[in-house]
Amino acid sequence: MADLNKNTSLYIRFFFILIFVVLIGRLLYIQMIDRKDYGKVADEQSLREVVQFPSRGYIYDRNGELLVYNEAVFDLMVEPAKTVKKVIIEDNKKTHVRKVRLDKMEQVNDTALLCRKLGITNEQYNDLITKAFLYSPVAPSIFMKQISKEELAAWEKDLRKFSGFYVQRRTLRSYTHKVGAHVLGYIGEVNDNDINADNYYRQGDYIGQSGLEKSYEKELRGIKGKTVMQVDVHGREICHYLDGKNDTRPVEGSNLYTSIDIELQEYAEKLMANKRGCVVAIEPATGEVLALVSAPTYDPNLLVGRVRKDNYPVLSNDIRKPLYNRALLGSYPPGSIFKVAQAMTGLQLGVIQPGTGFPCTKRPANCHNHPSATCVKDAIKMSCNPYFCCVYNRIIQQGKYKSPYEDSQYGLMVWNDYMHRLGFGQRLDIDLPNVNSGFIPDTHFYNKRYRGHTWAYTTIYSNSIGQGEVLVVPLQMANLASIVANRGYYITPHVVRYLGNDTVKKRIEKYYVKHETGIERKWFDIAVQGMFDVVHGAGGTGHKADVPGIDVCGKTGTAENYVGHHIKRADHSVFISFAPRDNPKIALAVYVENAAGGGGSWAAPISGLLIEKYLKGKVERPEFERTYMEAAPCQAVYVPKKPAQTAQTAEK
């Protein structure tokens, strides 16, 4: 028995000696062998890496005028654990709710003084420091963001009194003009998805969220730098670590040199101020966007800085949808402007000739009173509905098959292909985000809609006059005007001409590629003559687009607007145009929502004024300008009525 107790005692002694040897060995390893890791831990306790944010690239218009620049602001950063003597965070495992017990923490700082300096209440301080603790007790996070230079100057000298707080410089966007919001876009704070998608970002960083700011985020943002500072036990900065040996300079972002003509943009927004709709203006030869307006719009400065959190909900909840970019996202029935595309397709396919005429029978689609068109250019000039129904009939029913239904399947496939060649039914690859593709129906769509039952031209003839199932984005409408102006090709519309700086500029090669439609130039010459007659000829529907001394070519459209089955609202007013007739400098699409009177009443005169402003540099018809600038033709916004509350719904 004595021997057993003696052996047990030896085992216990050996066990404790072994533990002691392991601990001594580990300590020696850390101090003598693994100095690098030990030093790293020590550095983390005495060093602070401060991010140096790069200057975001500037944005200029086509004439070199500055549109977007940076203003210096400052974020007040906090390392929460350094503001208290002990960190107490309770984690409820059942509810998964973490709670910071500020009432049990002894504060290092004079929080009352700090609150007075910052102009906040004690309750606000507690909310902000709690949020910082929950993010991380030790990692820096933003305590107060976007402090101006003037605000900072009032209390910066006192900042060293407060442990765990320091200032980090960054920049905010500022806009020289109160226009161009849908093109320029805005930046906002990153979310978890942004951080997970790109390790460049961390909490509190900003990212482009719309417009050019989003499309060119990686080019605009630049590359971050860092400053490694030595700090004392309270987190106060002492000096640059190793005299700045580990510091890196930020690399400023690239500038954007855009195609926007800010004077034209500003003028277009004034013309559309009392209206709903949009304007897209393009230089046909290059595809460069001269102006892009969605109305109603907003001042881009409203979404900058600390005022953004108050302004964004107001804009977002506005029933007129000022944040919605109608020029790129709106899918509308194109109305009669679509007839130009039908004429070009019919001529190229050979189903009609330049001198082909059809009587205006007002069937199958009704029409306004005018003589029957005896040729294609007159049909375009007078915008004859029955004429283009007949053209569409010949495209769809080409007689390739004995069965009219099989023939329609074939004809619609051919038609669909030509519509895509003309830029419809697809997303035009403009350098702006969130672009709609519109809709051009195909055989699959109609087979599904009619559930295997037969369909033919008589079922779908409304497509011929830009109604039916056809939907077009205003950008595509302006692109069609460019195609006709170029007599058969287009270059993808784009906003940025060059990237870089004043000395080195880089162009984007894909925006120098011609897209041929496969339709011969001679047919477009007929379309040009027809569109010239729309504005200048007897019986033309777009005389209000006429500009003295300029050969304007255009096409009116009146798009019917149904908001429900058999519920019709005021029609949309549509006009596409280009000028001058030879060597065109500008192509336009103007869309005015719910403006009774047709394309010739509202969209056409607005187009004429824009052409005059761009080509002449000024408008020489002040009374005419005043009439259409002050007019508010759009029918009131439709607000659905809430269902009456019943006793049963009230109880629920």
Side-chain angles (χ1 to χ4, degrees):
M1 187 69 179
D3 291 339
L4 180 61
N5 290 335
K6 183 179 180 179
N7 290 337
T8 301
S9 177
L10 288 173
Y11 286 137
I12 292 173
R13 289 177 185 177
F14 177 77
F15 178 74
F16 279 108
I17 290 171
L18 180 64
I19 291 175
F20 180 75
V21 169
V22 170
L23 291 174
I24 293 297
R26 180 60 182 164
L27 182 60
L28 289 172
Y29 176 80
I30 292 174
Q31 292 184 324
M32 304 294 292
I33 301 172
D34 195 20
R35 287 180 174 274
K36 183 178 179 181
D37 287 346
Y38 183 76
K40 182 179 179 182
V41 173
D43 285 347
E44 287 176 348
Q45 293 175 349
S46 61
L47 303 179
R48 173 187 294 145
E49 188 177 290
V50 180
V51 175
Q52 299 297 315
F53 288 95
S55 175
R56 196 170 176 89
Y58 288 11
I59 303 179
Y60 297 88
D61 90 330
R62 70 186 295 106
N63 300 310
E65 185 166 348
L66 182 63
L67 303 181
V68 186
Y69 63 100
N70 303 310
E71 282 191 324
V73 294
F74 302 86
D75 290 339
L76 181 60
M77 308 296 292
V78 64
E79 296 173 73
K82 293 179 179 178
T83 67
V84 295
K85 293 186 176 179
K86 185 178 181 181
V87 178
I88 302 175
I89 299 179
E90 297 177 353
D91 194 348
N92 190 318
K93 295 182 179 179
K94 291 184 178 180
T95 61
H96 302 289
V97 174
R98 302 173 71 209
K99 184 178 180 181
V100 181
R101 295 303 305 268
L102 294 176
D103 57 317
K104 294 184 178 181
M105 295 184 189
E106 186 177 349
Q107 301 288 330
V108 173
N109 299 313
D110 182 348
T111 56
L113 176 61
L114 180 60
C115 289
R116 287 199 300 273
K117 292 293 181 182
L118 298 179
I120 60 176
T121 65
N122 187 62
E123 290 75 15
Q124 288 173 319
Y125 174 86
N126 288 341
D127 289 342
L128 292 169
I129 201 70
T130 297
K131 183 180 178 181
F133 265 113
L134 292 177
Y135 170 68
S136 172
V138 294
S141 61
I142 297 175
F143 183 81
M144 182 179 289
K145 65 180 66 173
Q146 299 167 3
I147 301 165
S148 69
K149 290 183 289 186
E150 293 74 21
E151 290 174 305
L152 180 64
W155 48 261
E156 185 180 17
K157 63 181 179 180
D158 298 314
L159 191 59
R160 290 182 60 84
K161 298 177 182 178
F162 306 109
S163 178
F165 288 91
Y166 66 96
V167 168
Q168 182 171 268
R169 185 183 185 277
R170 69 162 71 239
T171 57
L172 275 185
R173 299 304 246 173
S174 191
Y175 301 85
T176 58
H177 297 73
K178 296 181 179 181
V179 300
H182 292 98
V183 179
L184 301 173
Y186 56 84
I187 61 174
E189 195 167 336
V190 294
N191 56 34
D192 290 341
N193 291 333
D194 298 321
I195 295 171
N196 293 333
D198 190 338
N199 59 13
Y200 176 89
Y201 302 103
R202 69 181 192 182
Q203 187 195 43
D205 282 357
Y206 288 82
I207 190 172
Q209 295 189 340
S210 72
L212 293 175
E213 296 280 15
K214 182 175 182 178
S215 294
Y216 290 93
E217 165 63 18
K218 289 186 177 180
E219 292 81 5
L220 285 166
R221 74 188 185 189
I223 301 173
K224 294 175 183 174
K226 68 176 181 180
T227 301
V228 184
M229 303 297 296
Q230 194 166 346
V231 297
D232 62 19
V233 292
H234 298 295
R236 294 183 288 242
E237 294 177 355
I238 302 171
C239 61
H240 285 265
Y241 179 61
L242 297 178
D243 292 327
K245 181 180 178 181
N246 294 336
D247 295 354
T248 59
R249 289 180 175 273
V251 178
E252 64 183 21
S254 295
N255 297 331
L256 302 186
Y257 299 87
T258 74
S259 58
I260 296 296
D261 184 306
I262 195 60
E263 288 190 12
L264 184 66
Q265 178 77 26
E266 202 162 29
Y267 186 67
E269 292 195 18
K270 286 181 180 179
L271 284 172
M272 296 296 290
N274 305 316
K275 306 162 185 72
R276 292 188 312 276
C278 54
V279 171
V280 181
I282 298 173
E283 184 178 71
T286 63
E288 294 175 357
V289 175
L290 302 170
L292 190 149
V293 176
S294 178
T297 185
Y298 61 95
D299 179 352
N301 290 294
L302 293 175
L303 297 181
V304 173
R306 281 185 281 179
V307 298
R308 184 181 187 278
K309 64 181 176 61
D310 296 323
N311 292 331
Y312 186 83
V314 174
L315 293 170
S316 182
N317 294 323
D318 190 329
I319 195 171
R320 301 173 305 157
K321 299 182 179 180
L323 295 176
Y324 182 71
N325 191 339
R326 289 164 163 84
L328 303 183
L329 284 170
S331 285
Y332 300 97
S336 293
I337 65 170
F338 205 54
K339 293 171 181 174
V340 176
Q342 310 317 303
M344 297 301 94
T345 302
L347 287 166
Q348 183 62 32
L349 290 173
V351 297
I352 57 170
Q353 299 300 319
T356 299
F358 295 107
C360 184
T361 60
K362 298 189 179 181
R363 294 179 182 178
N366 197 9
C367 200
H368 53 281
N369 295 320
H370 63 80
S372 293
T374 58
C375 61
V376 174
K377 67 178 182 64
D378 282 351
I380 292 173
K381 177 183 74 171
M382 294 183 287
S383 196
C384 180
N385 287 339
Y387 186 98
F388 288 97
C389 288
C390 291
V391 173
Y392 189 63
N393 186 14
R394 291 192 177 185
I395 295 172
I396 301 300
Q397 310 274 193
Q398 294 184 37
K400 301 288 186 180
Y401 296 88
K402 290 183 179 180
S403 166
Y405 308 113
E406 290 183 34
D407 205 33
S408 294
Q409 294 265 350
Y410 170 80
L412 188 68
M413 286 192 294
V414 173
W415 174 80
N416 185 280
D417 174 58
Y418 273 92
M419 295 306 102
H420 278 80
R421 294 187 195 190
L422 291 164
F424 300 115
Q426 60 186 307
R427 181 191 179 279
L428 289 175
D429 192 22
I430 189 173
D431 50 351
L432 289 171
N434 304 322
V435 182
N436 209 325
S437 61
F439 183 69
I440 298 296
D442 56 14
T443 55
H444 175 75
F445 172 82
Y446 285 121
N447 289 339
K448 185 177 180 180
R449 165 171 279 198
Y450 292 102
R451 300 178 182 177
H453 294 289
T454 54
W455 54 267
Y457 155 76
T458 53
T459 318
I460 61 174
Y461 67 83
S462 293
N463 292 334
S464 63
I465 56 174
Q467 296 292 158
E469 289 72 43
V470 170
L471 293 173
V472 173
V473 179
L475 177 67
Q476 295 170 335
M477 301 178 192
N479 193 54
L480 176 62
S482 290
I483 290 172
V484 181
N486 292 333
R487 277 64 166 179
Y489 73 88
Y490 69 93
I491 294 173
T492 302
H494 56 283
V495 179
V496 173
R497 306 172 80 191
Y498 304 103
L499 294 164
N501 53 47
D502 291 337
T503 56
V504 180
K505 295 179 182 177
K506 175 186 174 183
R507 73 181 195 176
I508 303 171
E509 294 301 325
K510 70 177 180 179
Y511 294 131
Y512 289 82
V513 178
K514 285 186 179 181
H515 300 278
E516 300 285 352
T517 61
I519 299 175
E520 296 175 66
R521 179 189 175 99
K522 62 182 179 180
W523 306 136
F524 282 102
D525 288 337
I526 293 171
V528 170
Q529 182 60 53
M531 292 175 68
F532 178 83
D533 292 343
V534 165
V535 179
H536 303 279
T541 57
H543 288 168
K544 288 184 179 180
D546 184 21
V547 180
I550 297 176
D551 291 340
V552 177
C553 300
K555 181 70 191 78
T556 54
T558 303
E560 293 185 347
N561 180 34
Y562 286 89
V563 295
H565 189 57
H566 299 310
I567 302 175
K568 189 174 186 298
R569 299 189 66 233
D571 296 334
H572 303 310
S573 177
V574 197
F575 196 75
I576 62 170
S577 58
F578 61 88
R581 174 175 175 165
D582 298 317
N583 192 23
K585 303 298 183 186
I586 183 172
L588 280 162
V590 176
Y591 211 100
V592 185
E593 293 182 9
N594 311 125
S601 298
W602 301 107
I606 291 172
S607 297
L609 287 167
L610 289 167
I611 289 170
E612 184 174 2
K613 175 69 173 178
Y614 185 68
L615 296 183
K616 292 186 175 183
K618 61 180 180 179
V619 174
E620 299 170 341
R621 300 172 292 165
E623 290 299 323
F624 187 82
E625 177 186 54
R626 189 178 302 110
T627 297
Y628 292 98
M629 189 171 285
E630 295 177 356
C634 300
Q635 185 179 7
V637 177
Y638 173 72
V639 182
K641 292 182 179 179
K642 293 182 179 179
Q645 190 180 52
T646 64
Q648 289 180 334
T649 58
E651 288 175 4
K652 291 180 182 179

